Amino acid sequence: MKTRVIISLLALLLVGSACEKELDFKGTSEEMYMSPLVINAVAIEGMPFVAYLTKSERINEVVQNYMDASVLRTASDEDYQNRNYLVRVAQMNAQIQVEVNGQQSYKMSPNLQQFCYECDYVPKEGDRIVLTAQQQGSADGLRAETMVPQKPKIEVLEYEVLDGNPYRYQNELTFEGDTIMRLTCRISGAQAGQYYRLRVRNERESLTIIGANGIWDRFIRNYGGQDVFFSSDALFADSRLTSNFGGWPSFFSNVFDSRLLANGAYTFTVDSPKMVYTTWNPPQIPGMTVSPDATYSDNMPLPSQVVVELQAISEDYYHYLKAMELYRIMVSDSNAEPIRLHSNAQNGWGILGAMSYDRHIVKYDD
């Protein structure tokens, strides 16, 4: 027994006193700290192509969480972005090239105000896009590829405004109106192996009122939007989403594939809570009066409306959005298993997605 103990202790001593050898890093100090690039871009059919290029960060360096990054949205496809984050991580010294269908090539130029890269290329259905990005001082370049899907087709068969809102004060919904818009829609022309995202955005005019010295003198018209919708249809069921998020209910996803669209068509119903009219009534504010010369920033009235948009999305973009849905409900759970966000970038991270869409606008009276 003593012999075994002595042998064990000698083994531990040999391991603990093992020789160390310093290995020289062959490369410049700049290369030593160069981090892989991250690409975030969606090629939208009919819209000028824009790409965001950022540096990757260690997990303990990322101070923005998903809730912060979901506050601001782009005007094009309503995906998430955050200007403060872009200011900190945007890489504006790279060379980005876009090749389309192996024939045309576009060089992207940096937009230093928007922290993105732009070019004259406007994606079309069926375009195969290869993006390459080479950062100054880096030996390896990032590469990502996607294809713009065929334009989808959706119809709004009927709609009605219903008094009462059964979804009020649920799931941290931001805008709690007292009525809902119920829409019956139909997808047609679907094929196997296609991927989709449905947007149902309830929009309504809001007013920003500006005044001083007891007088309201300027009214700014703008739109407020409500993106969350509800449905019990199996098309939107996702058993992995066990928690609600930002108004979206648990087990619900507006990103889906074509498995339930086997015959090429599908009819479903959704409920969209009406956007609350967000303004103040000047006469009700003590001490404030409306100037007879008060002006509006836009003299045209803005109608209340619901935007119904079916997006056909690329497969990589579908997997990325699904991973983000899982990530957003788990960031607050320290015991949750790590989520791997889908990436289609080589020699880097991020996503190059593509989409086309069919959009319809339903206007309604307040």
Side-chain angles (χ1 to χ4, degrees), residues 253-269:
S253 171
N254 66 329
V255 181
F256 52 93
D257 58 30
S258 58
R259 282 177 293 181
L260 292 180
L261 315 179
N263 61 354
Y266 195 87
T267 301
F268 58 90
T269 299

Side-chain angles (χ1 to χ4, degrees), residues 71-104:
V71 174
L72 301 180
R73 297 166 179 263
T74 65
S76 57
D77 66 338
E78 301 298 323
D79 280 330
Y80 302 107
Q81 67 167 319
N82 183 286
R83 183 176 178 85
N84 292 333
Y85 178 75
L86 290 174
V87 169
R88 183 164 60 85
V89 301
Q91 301 296 285
M92 305 306 298
N93 63 342
Q95 301 293 324
I96 301 184
Q97 199 85 4
V98 177
E99 183 182 274
V100 182
N101 299 324
Q103 300 174 346
Q104 297 175 291

Side-chain angles (χ1 to χ4, degrees), residues 239-303:
S239 60
R240 300 174 301 168
L241 302 177
T242 56
S243 300
N244 61 286
F245 175 84
W248 294 101
S250 56
F251 307 110
F252 186 95
S253 171
N254 66 329
V255 181
F256 52 93
D257 58 30
S258 58
R259 282 177 293 181
L260 292 180
L261 315 179
N263 61 354
Y266 195 87
T267 301
F268 58 90
T269 299
V270 298
D271 290 343
S272 175
K274 289 178 67 176
M275 175 67 188
V276 174
Y277 184 73
T278 54
T279 186
W280 298 312
N281 186 352
Q284 294 179 353
I285 299 178
M288 294 295 289
T289 60
V290 179
S291 168
D293 299 321
T295 59
Y296 284 86
S297 63
D298 183 354
N299 292 325
M300 297 296 293
L302 301 175

Side-chain angles (χ1 to χ4, degrees), residues 35-39 56 140-143 343-351:
S35 61
L37 293 174
V38 180
I39 184 68
S56 59
D140 298 322
L142 177 147
R143 184 184 187 278
S343 171
N344 63 347
Q346 301 174 16
N347 296 323
W349 305 99
I351 188 72

